[in-house]
Amino acid sequence: MSEMRVERAAIVVGANGAIGNAMLERFERDTSLDKVFAISRTARRSSAAVSASNSKVIWLESDASENSIGKVCKHIKQHGCALTHIVIATGKLHDEAKSVAPEKRIDSLAYDSLAEVFSINTFLPMLWLSKFAGLLNRNQKTVISVLSARVGSIADNQLGGWYTYRGSKAALNMMLKTLAIEFQRRYPLVKLIAFHPGTTNSKLSEPFQANVPPEKLFTPEFVAQQLWTLMNSAPVDGQLSYQDWQHQDIAW
Ligand SMILES: NC(=O)c1ccc[n+]([C@@H]2O[C@H](COP(=O)([O-])OP(=O)(O)OC[C@H]3O[C@@H](n4cnc5c(N)ncnc54)[C@H](OP(=O)(O)O)[C@@H]3O)[C@@H](O)[C@H]2O)c1
């Protein structure tokens, strides 16, 4: 009797964001993958690059509540796939109503905006990871990348400002580091990466692009390619890597 081959799958959280969507499309073209679970708060926006008929994408909506995170993970588990790549691409820097905006001075700090940004940039990725832990397999290599940012580096902070966003990404990095230590024992074949994409053309960066030279403003597709090659070449060393789009280490 021939043995059933276990399907290989990737997960993208925040699949309707610029970088999340570009990662999703990159995984769709990855012939080593059978399925891609795409998670977003909303339905998939149309994409010319993808033919719906033979898509390997399974689209799952989640309102980012703990309850829906649990439901989505249950659904993914039922597929019984080997998870090889996981990308969490959610994040917030500002909103259109300007109720959240990066602060220039300490005077601008406000509780609601602190709570909102920490909740999306720090709590949400960690809640997803707390449930993804139950989907992992000790004998399966899984590379997990979470979108962080260079401004979350304490060592690199020369300019100041952006209190809440910086703090939320630094806190994210610390929690990912703690997870890497736990996974050394529980899932020794998991590799964790905190990734800085560089300034990438998206809604998140739009108001801050004016002083960025054109060659330093990346397309989401370029960044997705860089992250995909990083994930495929990263050593399984039980450590959290904090790296940028050039695959260079960032000081903590
Ligand atoms: N663009 C840059 O220059 C840059 C630079 C450094 C770091 N980053 C980081 O890269 C990541 C992706 O950003 P992007 O540039 O692709 O921005 P984007 O296009 O604005 O995407 C934002 C992402 O965050 C999710 N999101 C936003 N508000 C949310 C909420 N209230 N609850 C749950 N999810 C929410 C969206 O998920 P849905 O699919 O549910 O809409 C989407 O995936 C972020 O973590 C960002 O901090 C970006």
mmCIF file of all heavy atoms in Angstrom, residues 13-20 39-42 64 89-92 116 120-121 124 147-150 165 169 195-205, ligand 1:
data_model
loop_
_atom_site.group_PDB
_atom_site.id
_atom_site.type_symbol
_atom_site.label_atom_id
_atom_site.label_comp_id
_atom_site.label_asym_id
_atom_site.label_seq_id
_atom_site.Cartn_x
_atom_site.Cartn_y
_atom_site.Cartn_z
ATOM 1 N N VAL A 13 -1.037 35.648 7.799
ATOM 2 C CA VAL A 13 -1.999 36.432 8.580
ATOM 3 C C VAL A 13 -1.882 37.891 8.135
ATOM 4 O O VAL A 13 -0.775 38.437 8.057
ATOM 5 C CB VAL A 13 -1.729 36.335 10.099
ATOM 6 C CG1 VAL A 13 -2.775 37.135 10.873
ATOM 7 C CG2 VAL A 13 -1.708 34.892 10.555
ATOM 8 N N GLY A 14 -3.032 38.507 7.848
ATOM 9 C CA GLY A 14 -3.029 39.881 7.328
ATOM 10 C C GLY A 14 -2.882 39.873 5.821
ATOM 11 O O GLY A 14 -2.164 40.685 5.231
ATOM 12 N N ALA A 15 -3.614 38.950 5.185
ATOM 13 C CA ALA A 15 -3.408 38.676 3.761
ATOM 14 C C ALA A 15 -3.942 39.778 2.852
ATOM 15 O O ALA A 15 -3.685 39.761 1.649
ATOM 16 C CB ALA A 15 -4.050 37.343 3.403
ATOM 17 N N ASN A 16 -4.677 40.738 3.388
ATOM 18 C CA ASN A 16 -5.131 41.855 2.563
ATOM 19 C C ASN A 16 -4.246 43.092 2.702
ATOM 20 O O ASN A 16 -4.499 44.113 2.067
ATOM 21 C CB ASN A 16 -6.581 42.220 2.876
ATOM 22 C CG ASN A 16 -7.543 41.550 1.904
ATOM 23 O OD1 ASN A 16 -7.172 41.257 0.764
ATOM 24 N ND2 ASN A 16 -8.756 41.300 2.355
ATOM 25 N N GLY A 17 -3.239 43.028 3.529
ATOM 26 C CA GLY A 17 -2.275 44.123 3.597
ATOM 27 C C GLY A 17 -1.341 44.063 2.401
ATOM 28 O O GLY A 17 -1.319 43.060 1.683
ATOM 29 N N ALA A 18 -0.575 45.126 2.178
ATOM 30 C CA ALA A 18 0.299 45.166 0.998
ATOM 31 C C ALA A 18 1.333 44.038 1.049
ATOM 32 O O ALA A 18 1.492 43.267 0.092
ATOM 33 C CB ALA A 18 0.984 46.527 0.917
ATOM 34 N N ILE A 19 2.035 43.925 2.171
ATOM 35 C CA ILE A 19 3.087 42.903 2.266
ATOM 36 C C ILE A 19 2.469 41.512 2.433
ATOM 37 O O ILE A 19 2.925 40.537 1.822
ATOM 38 C CB ILE A 19 4.073 43.251 3.406
ATOM 39 C CG1 ILE A 19 4.802 44.565 3.072
ATOM 40 C CG2 ILE A 19 5.082 42.130 3.627
ATOM 41 C CD1 ILE A 19 5.663 45.141 4.193
ATOM 42 N N GLY A 20 1.402 41.416 3.219
ATOM 43 C CA GLY A 20 0.724 40.133 3.402
ATOM 44 C C GLY A 20 0.225 39.583 2.069
ATOM 45 O O GLY A 20 0.423 38.397 1.754
ATOM 46 N N ILE A 39 -5.324 34.532 5.924
ATOM 47 C CA ILE A 39 -6.214 35.005 6.993
ATOM 48 C C ILE A 39 -6.286 36.525 6.944
ATOM 49 O O ILE A 39 -5.255 37.204 6.844
ATOM 50 C CB ILE A 39 -5.688 34.543 8.371
ATOM 51 C CG1 ILE A 39 -5.573 33.015 8.400
ATOM 52 C CG2 ILE A 39 -6.596 35.049 9.489
ATOM 53 C CD1 ILE A 39 -4.735 32.474 9.534
ATOM 54 N N SER A 40 -7.515 37.027 6.988
ATOM 55 C CA SER A 40 -7.709 38.472 6.936
ATOM 56 C C SER A 40 -9.023 38.816 7.617
ATOM 57 O O SER A 40 -9.870 37.944 7.825
ATOM 58 C CB SER A 40 -7.749 38.933 5.470
ATOM 59 O OG SER A 40 -8.007 40.315 5.408
ATOM 60 N N ARG A 41 -9.198 40.112 7.926
ATOM 61 C CA ARG A 41 -10.472 40.536 8.508
ATOM 62 C C ARG A 41 -11.552 40.594 7.449
ATOM 63 O O ARG A 41 -12.735 40.620 7.756
ATOM 64 C CB ARG A 41 -10.327 41.920 9.151
ATOM 65 C CG ARG A 41 -9.464 41.927 10.392
ATOM 66 C CD ARG A 41 -9.043 43.323 10.727
ATOM 67 N NE ARG A 41 -8.299 43.916 9.630
ATOM 68 C CZ ARG A 41 -8.078 45.203 9.461
ATOM 69 N NH1 ARG A 41 -8.559 46.063 10.323
ATOM 70 N NH2 ARG A 41 -7.383 45.643 8.434
ATOM 71 N N THR A 42 -11.152 40.671 6.177
ATOM 72 C CA THR A 42 -12.127 40.878 5.100
ATOM 73 C C THR A 42 -11.900 39.877 3.964
ATOM 74 O O THR A 42 -10.879 39.184 3.936
ATOM 75 C CB THR A 42 -11.970 42.301 4.532
ATOM 76 O OG1 THR A 42 -10.584 42.519 4.271
ATOM 77 C CG2 THR A 42 -12.469 43.358 5.500
ATOM 78 N N ALA A 64 -10.063 39.008 14.325
ATOM 79 C CA ALA A 64 -8.915 39.198 15.221
ATOM 80 C C ALA A 64 -9.270 39.034 16.694
ATOM 81 O O ALA A 64 -8.447 39.304 17.562
ATOM 82 C CB ALA A 64 -8.213 40.542 14.968
ATOM 83 N N ALA A 89 1.739 39.389 9.061
ATOM 84 C CA ALA A 89 2.057 40.677 8.412
ATOM 85 C C ALA A 89 1.134 41.792 8.862
ATOM 86 O O ALA A 89 0.964 42.785 8.159
ATOM 87 C CB ALA A 89 1.977 40.510 6.891
ATOM 88 N N THR A 90 0.538 41.638 10.032
ATOM 89 C CA THR A 90 -0.368 42.681 10.515
ATOM 90 C C THR A 90 0.425 43.803 11.195
ATOM 91 O O THR A 90 1.508 43.569 11.728
ATOM 92 C CB THR A 90 -1.358 42.092 11.535
ATOM 93 O OG1 THR A 90 -0.616 41.369 12.502
ATOM 94 C CG2 THR A 90 -2.342 41.168 10.872
ATOM 95 N N GLY A 91 -0.129 44.989 11.180
ATOM 96 C CA GLY A 91 0.533 46.095 11.864
ATOM 97 C C GLY A 91 -0.197 47.403 11.657
ATOM 98 O O GLY A 91 -0.989 47.553 10.728
ATOM 99 N N LYS A 92 0.066 48.336 12.577
ATOM 100 C CA LYS A 92 -0.581 49.650 12.485
ATOM 101 C C LYS A 92 0.399 50.745 12.900
ATOM 102 O O LYS A 92 1.152 50.587 13.873
ATOM 103 C CB LYS A 92 -1.791 49.678 13.415
ATOM 104 C CG LYS A 92 -2.526 51.003 13.371
ATOM 105 C CD LYS A 92 -3.947 50.849 13.828
ATOM 106 C CE LYS A 92 -4.717 52.130 13.627
ATOM 107 N NZ LYS A 92 -6.137 51.934 13.590
ATOM 108 N N GLU A 116 -4.461 50.773 21.196
ATOM 109 C CA GLU A 116 -4.792 50.291 19.848
ATOM 110 C C GLU A 116 -3.541 49.755 19.144
ATOM 111 O O GLU A 116 -3.536 48.659 18.572
ATOM 112 C CB GLU A 116 -5.408 51.469 19.072
ATOM 113 C CG GLU A 116 -5.543 51.292 17.585
ATOM 114 C CD GLU A 116 -6.880 50.712 17.181
ATOM 115 O OE1 GLU A 116 -7.662 50.367 18.082
ATOM 116 O OE2 GLU A 116 -7.121 50.598 15.961
ATOM 117 N N ILE A 120 -2.579 45.794 18.160
ATOM 118 C CA ILE A 120 -2.408 45.251 16.800
ATOM 119 C C ILE A 120 -0.964 44.801 16.541
ATOM 120 O O ILE A 120 -0.731 43.771 15.913
ATOM 121 C CB ILE A 120 -2.859 46.295 15.763
ATOM 122 C CG1 ILE A 120 -4.361 46.536 15.916
ATOM 123 C CG2 ILE A 120 -2.528 45.845 14.340
ATOM 124 C CD1 ILE A 120 -4.888 47.722 15.160
ATOM 125 N N ASN A 121 0.011 45.568 17.033
ATOM 126 C CA ASN A 121 1.409 45.260 16.690
ATOM 127 C C ASN A 121 2.062 44.229 17.605
ATOM 128 O O ASN A 121 3.001 43.551 17.190
ATOM 129 C CB ASN A 121 2.256 46.539 16.743
ATOM 130 C CG ASN A 121 1.898 47.504 15.631
ATOM 131 O OD1 ASN A 121 1.071 47.206 14.778
ATOM 132 N ND2 ASN A 121 2.521 48.671 15.637
ATOM 133 N N LEU A 124 -1.678 41.028 19.064
ATOM 134 C CA LEU A 124 -2.305 40.201 18.032
ATOM 135 C C LEU A 124 -1.349 39.148 17.444
ATOM 136 O O LEU A 124 -1.707 37.961 17.412
ATOM 137 C CB LEU A 124 -2.888 41.117 16.944
ATOM 138 C CG LEU A 124 -3.717 40.440 15.863
ATOM 139 C CD1 LEU A 124 -4.908 39.697 16.455
ATOM 140 C CD2 LEU A 124 -4.195 41.472 14.838
ATOM 141 N N LEU A 147 6.301 40.367 10.907
ATOM 142 C CA LEU A 147 6.725 41.698 10.469
ATOM 143 C C LEU A 147 6.943 42.580 11.680
ATOM 144 O O LEU A 147 5.996 42.897 12.409
ATOM 145 C CB LEU A 147 5.673 42.285 9.522
ATOM 146 C CG LEU A 147 5.842 41.966 8.023
ATOM 147 C CD1 LEU A 147 7.050 42.696 7.450
ATOM 148 C CD2 LEU A 147 5.967 40.487 7.738
ATOM 149 N N SER A 148 8.210 42.934 11.888
ATOM 150 C CA SER A 148 8.594 43.847 12.950
ATOM 151 C C SER A 148 8.948 45.170 12.265
ATOM 152 O O SER A 148 8.308 45.554 11.279
ATOM 153 C CB SER A 148 9.771 43.243 13.725
ATOM 154 O OG SER A 148 10.170 44.093 14.754
ATOM 155 N N ALA A 149 9.969 45.866 12.730
ATOM 156 C CA ALA A 149 10.438 47.093 12.069
ATOM 157 C C ALA A 149 11.775 47.482 12.702
ATOM 158 O O ALA A 149 11.986 47.209 13.893
ATOM 159 C CB ALA A 149 9.439 48.233 12.259
ATOM 160 N N ARG A 150 12.625 48.117 11.917
ATOM 161 C CA ARG A 150 13.918 48.549 12.459
ATOM 162 C C ARG A 150 13.738 49.539 13.612
ATOM 163 O O ARG A 150 14.539 49.587 14.529
ATOM 164 C CB ARG A 150 14.766 49.196 11.341
ATOM 165 C CG ARG A 150 16.215 49.412 11.738
ATOM 166 C CD ARG A 150 16.988 50.175 10.670
ATOM 167 N NE ARG A 150 17.035 49.503 9.390
ATOM 168 C CZ ARG A 150 17.879 48.515 9.090
ATOM 169 N NH1 ARG A 150 18.751 48.081 9.972
ATOM 170 N NH2 ARG A 150 17.854 47.959 7.890
ATOM 171 N N TYR A 165 4.665 53.280 18.329
ATOM 172 C CA TYR A 165 5.023 52.291 17.301
ATOM 173 C C TYR A 165 6.354 51.627 17.658
ATOM 174 O O TYR A 165 6.476 50.401 17.623
ATOM 175 C CB TYR A 165 5.096 52.991 15.947
ATOM 176 C CG TYR A 165 5.316 52.065 14.760
ATOM 177 C CD1 TYR A 165 4.289 51.262 14.276
ATOM 178 C CD2 TYR A 165 6.546 52.017 14.112
ATOM 179 C CE1 TYR A 165 4.483 50.428 13.179
ATOM 180 C CE2 TYR A 165 6.751 51.198 13.006
ATOM 181 C CZ TYR A 165 5.719 50.405 12.544
ATOM 182 O OH TYR A 165 5.921 49.586 11.450
ATOM 183 N N LYS A 169 6.832 47.561 18.707
ATOM 184 C CA LYS A 169 7.691 46.634 17.948
ATOM 185 C C LYS A 169 8.820 46.096 18.833
ATOM 186 O O LYS A 169 9.209 44.936 18.710
ATOM 187 C CB LYS A 169 8.257 47.317 16.700
ATOM 188 C CG LYS A 169 7.202 47.679 15.644
ATOM 189 C CD LYS A 169 6.568 46.463 14.990
ATOM 190 C CE LYS A 169 5.724 46.854 13.777
ATOM 191 N NZ LYS A 169 5.068 45.691 13.132
ATOM 192 N N PHE A 195 11.147 40.447 11.089
ATOM 193 C CA PHE A 195 11.603 40.960 9.792
ATOM 194 C C PHE A 195 11.315 42.452 9.630
ATOM 195 O O PHE A 195 10.211 42.922 9.916
ATOM 196 C CB PHE A 195 10.888 40.179 8.687
ATOM 197 C CG PHE A 195 11.302 40.556 7.289
ATOM 198 C CD1 PHE A 195 12.580 40.268 6.826
ATOM 199 C CD2 PHE A 195 10.403 41.189 6.423
ATOM 200 C CE1 PHE A 195 12.970 40.612 5.527
ATOM 201 C CE2 PHE A 195 10.780 41.530 5.125
ATOM 202 C CZ PHE A 195 12.061 41.232 4.680
ATOM 203 N N HIS A 196 12.334 43.172 9.159
ATOM 204 C CA HIS A 196 12.149 44.577 8.773
ATOM 205 C C HIS A 196 12.145 44.660 7.243
ATOM 206 O O HIS A 196 13.156 44.357 6.606
ATOM 207 C CB HIS A 196 13.274 45.447 9.328
ATOM 208 C CG HIS A 196 13.253 46.839 8.755
ATOM 209 N ND1 HIS A 196 12.204 47.713 8.967
ATOM 210 C CD2 HIS A 196 14.123 47.485 7.936
ATOM 211 C CE1 HIS A 196 12.439 48.848 8.310
ATOM 212 N NE2 HIS A 196 13.587 48.731 7.683
ATOM 213 N N PRO A 197 11.026 45.099 6.658
ATOM 214 C CA PRO A 197 10.920 45.055 5.198
ATOM 215 C C PRO A 197 11.605 46.218 4.488
ATOM 216 O O PRO A 197 11.724 46.193 3.266
ATOM 217 C CB PRO A 197 9.403 45.111 4.968
ATOM 218 C CG PRO A 197 8.860 45.863 6.161
ATOM 219 C CD PRO A 197 9.763 45.528 7.313
ATOM 220 N N GLY A 198 12.057 47.236 5.220
ATOM 221 C CA GLY A 198 12.460 48.484 4.544
ATOM 222 C C GLY A 198 11.199 49.259 4.236
ATOM 223 O O GLY A 198 10.074 48.755 4.401
ATOM 224 N N THR A 199 11.348 50.515 3.802
ATOM 225 C CA THR A 199 10.145 51.303 3.520
ATOM 226 C C THR A 199 9.481 50.737 2.266
ATOM 227 O O THR A 199 10.077 50.695 1.196
ATOM 228 C CB THR A 199 10.485 52.790 3.354
ATOM 229 O OG1 THR A 199 11.230 53.202 4.500
ATOM 230 C CG2 THR A 199 9.221 53.631 3.270
ATOM 231 N N THR A 200 8.257 50.290 2.461
ATOM 232 C CA THR A 200 7.541 49.565 1.412
ATOM 233 C C THR A 200 6.249 50.306 1.110
ATOM 234 O O THR A 200 5.568 50.769 2.034
ATOM 235 C CB THR A 200 7.235 48.136 1.922
ATOM 236 O OG1 THR A 200 8.446 47.549 2.394
ATOM 237 C CG2 THR A 200 6.637 47.279 0.830
ATOM 238 N N ASN A 201 5.951 50.404 -0.169
ATOM 239 C CA ASN A 201 4.774 51.151 -0.589
ATOM 240 C C ASN A 201 3.500 50.461 -0.100
ATOM 241 O O ASN A 201 3.165 49.373 -0.560
ATOM 242 C CB ASN A 201 4.780 51.255 -2.120
ATOM 243 C CG ASN A 201 3.770 52.263 -2.616
ATOM 244 O OD1 ASN A 201 3.183 53.006 -1.805
ATOM 245 N ND2 ASN A 201 3.550 52.294 -3.909
ATOM 246 N N SER A 202 2.835 51.083 0.847
ATOM 247 C CA SER A 202 1.604 50.506 1.413
ATOM 248 C C SER A 202 0.819 51.636 2.078
ATOM 249 O O SER A 202 1.338 52.745 2.244
ATOM 250 C CB SER A 202 1.948 49.435 2.461
ATOM 251 O OG SER A 202 2.443 50.043 3.636
ATOM 252 N N LYS A 203 -0.394 51.311 2.495
ATOM 253 C CA LYS A 203 -1.203 52.305 3.219
ATOM 254 C C LYS A 203 -0.488 52.748 4.485
ATOM 255 O O LYS A 203 -0.551 53.910 4.880
ATOM 256 C CB LYS A 203 -2.541 51.666 3.614
ATOM 257 C CG LYS A 203 -3.625 51.904 2.618
ATOM 258 C CD LYS A 203 -4.966 51.608 3.288
ATOM 259 C CE LYS A 203 -6.048 51.519 2.254
ATOM 260 N NZ LYS A 203 -7.090 50.549 2.601
ATOM 261 N N LEU A 204 0.193 51.794 5.113
ATOM 262 C CA LEU A 204 0.858 52.086 6.387
ATOM 263 C C LEU A 204 1.961 53.134 6.228
ATOM 264 O O LEU A 204 2.127 54.015 7.067
ATOM 265 C CB LEU A 204 1.417 50.775 6.965
ATOM 266 C CG LEU A 204 2.127 50.827 8.306
ATOM 267 C CD1 LEU A 204 1.759 49.601 9.161
ATOM 268 C CD2 LEU A 204 3.636 50.889 8.148
ATOM 269 N N SER A 205 2.705 53.060 5.112
ATOM 270 C CA SER A 205 3.857 53.967 4.948
ATOM 271 C C SER A 205 3.504 55.222 4.160
ATOM 272 O O SER A 205 4.280 56.172 4.131
ATOM 273 C CB SER A 205 5.006 53.239 4.243
ATOM 274 O OG SER A 205 4.662 52.988 2.898
HETATM 275 N N1 LIG B 1 5.380 49.487 4.834
HETATM 276 C C1 LIG B 1 6.485 49.790 5.478
HETATM 277 O O1 LIG B 1 7.237 50.699 5.077
HETATM 278 C C2 LIG B 1 6.881 49.038 6.715
HETATM 279 C C3 LIG B 1 8.119 49.315 7.313
HETATM 280 C C4 LIG B 1 8.484 48.620 8.468
HETATM 281 C C5 LIG B 1 7.634 47.643 8.986
HETATM 282 N N2 LIG B 1 6.432 47.395 8.375
HETATM 283 C C6 LIG B 1 5.540 46.381 8.977
HETATM 284 O O2 LIG B 1 5.080 45.514 7.973
HETATM 285 C C7 LIG B 1 3.780 45.011 8.337
HETATM 286 C C8 LIG B 1 2.832 45.084 7.150
HETATM 287 O O3 LIG B 1 2.574 46.425 6.823
HETATM 288 P P1 LIG B 1 2.114 46.903 5.365
HETATM 289 O O4 LIG B 1 3.113 47.891 4.931
HETATM 290 O O5 LIG B 1 1.801 45.736 4.503
HETATM 291 O O6 LIG B 1 0.799 47.719 5.747
HETATM 292 P P2 LIG B 1 -0.726 47.625 5.259
HETATM 293 O O7 LIG B 1 -0.812 47.407 3.807
HETATM 294 O O8 LIG B 1 -1.368 48.833 5.844
HETATM 295 O O9 LIG B 1 -1.243 46.313 5.998
HETATM 296 C C9 LIG B 1 -1.654 46.353 7.339
HETATM 297 C C10 LIG B 1 -1.887 44.970 7.850
HETATM 298 O O10 LIG B 1 -2.325 44.990 9.203
HETATM 299 C C11 LIG B 1 -3.552 44.318 9.371
HETATM 300 N N3 LIG B 1 -4.375 45.148 10.268
HETATM 301 C C12 LIG B 1 -4.508 46.490 10.269
HETATM 302 N N4 LIG B 1 -5.348 46.897 11.238
HETATM 303 C C13 LIG B 1 -5.750 45.767 11.869
HETATM 304 C C14 LIG B 1 -6.641 45.507 12.954
HETATM 305 N N5 LIG B 1 -7.295 46.506 13.575
HETATM 306 N N6 LIG B 1 -6.826 44.233 13.331
HETATM 307 C C15 LIG B 1 -6.195 43.222 12.685
HETATM 308 N N7 LIG B 1 -5.341 43.400 11.665
HETATM 309 C C16 LIG B 1 -5.129 44.657 11.254
HETATM 310 C C17 LIG B 1 -4.153 44.183 7.979
HETATM 311 O O11 LIG B 1 -4.792 42.915 7.896
HETATM 312 P P3 LIG B 1 -6.113 42.585 7.018
HETATM 313 O O12 LIG B 1 -5.711 41.577 5.996
HETATM 314 O O13 LIG B 1 -7.031 42.000 8.010
HETATM 315 O O14 LIG B 1 -6.594 43.878 6.412
HETATM 316 C C18 LIG B 1 -2.904 44.191 7.084
HETATM 317 O O15 LIG B 1 -2.379 42.904 6.971
HETATM 318 C C19 LIG B 1 3.365 45.798 9.587
HETATM 319 O O16 LIG B 1 3.643 45.020 10.736
HETATM 320 C C20 LIG B 1 4.283 47.000 9.569
HETATM 321 O O17 LIG B 1 4.513 47.511 10.863
HETATM 322 C C21 LIG B 1 6.043 48.070 7.251
#
